[in-house]
Amino acid sequence: MNANEIAELAKAALDGSIPFPEIVGKLMANGVEYYHVDYVTGSFTFYSASGAAVVAPLTFEKLPSIAEDFDVGALKAAILDSQQHGQKFRAFCERAIQAGVQGYIAYLRGKRVTYFGRQGDQHTEWFPGARPHDA
């Protein structure tokens, strides 16, 4: 993994300068297998299959407090808005936090994202067009 390029891709996610699907493709080309967005610590951590990790700051100012309760309906609406209407990453983060998401892990090879709430709640969302192997 090229730590400098991954840090630049994290910055591009924050400022919206590169479309998200392109960022995902470049992360995968850099050997990123999955990444963790942590709203509690304000960070991204990118992981390779070999165990390497790159940490980058999630530097949005004045994000709301993480809601105590996990609202899957509100989270799904935020996800859908991003997928279908190109919602900016900051707006997605605000809505996810308001829906009780404290963080999530995006499994790039696994084509899914698992969101976590403060009380242990979870929701897994498949990438568009991806499905569980047993479905």
Side-chain angles (χ1 to χ4, degrees):
M1 288 194 317
N2 180 323
N4 291 332
E5 188 168 341
I6 290 169
E8 287 300 314
L9 291 168
K11 186 188 283 185
L14 294 172
D15 66 24
S17 61
I18 299 175
F20 188 68
E22 187 176 331
I23 290 172
V24 169
K26 289 182 177 197
L27 288 172
M28 292 179 76
N30 263 284
V32 174
E33 189 169 73
Y34 61 97
Y35 64 89
H36 177 212
V37 172
D38 187 340
Y39 293 128
V40 177
T41 63
S43 65
F44 296 96
T45 306
F46 301 87
Y47 300 90
S48 73
S50 67
V54 174
V55 179
L58 195 162
T59 56
F60 290 138
E61 298 285 326
K62 299 183 182 176
L63 286 173
S65 296
I66 300 165
E68 186 174 329
D69 296 318
F70 195 71
D71 184 342
V72 174
L75 173 60
K76 285 183 172 187
I79 294 166
L80 195 61
D81 202 16
S82 292
Q83 291 172 342
Q84 294 184 350
H85 305 289
Q87 173 179 238
K88 297 290 184 190
F89 185 57
R90 180 186 175 90
F92 172 77
C93 291
E94 289 173 349
R95 291 176 70 185
I97 290 168
Q98 290 168 339
V101 174
Q102 70 177 13
Y104 60 89
I105 299 176
Y107 299 94
L108 302 180
R109 285 191 324 123
K111 298 182 180 175
R112 68 192 105 182
V113 181
T114 300
Y115 299 86
F116 305 96
R118 291 174 49 190
Q119 300 176 50
D121 298 289
Q122 299 177 29
H123 170 70
T124 298
E125 188 76 25
W126 291 87
F127 287 11
R131 313 163 37 111
H133 294 294
D134 60 333

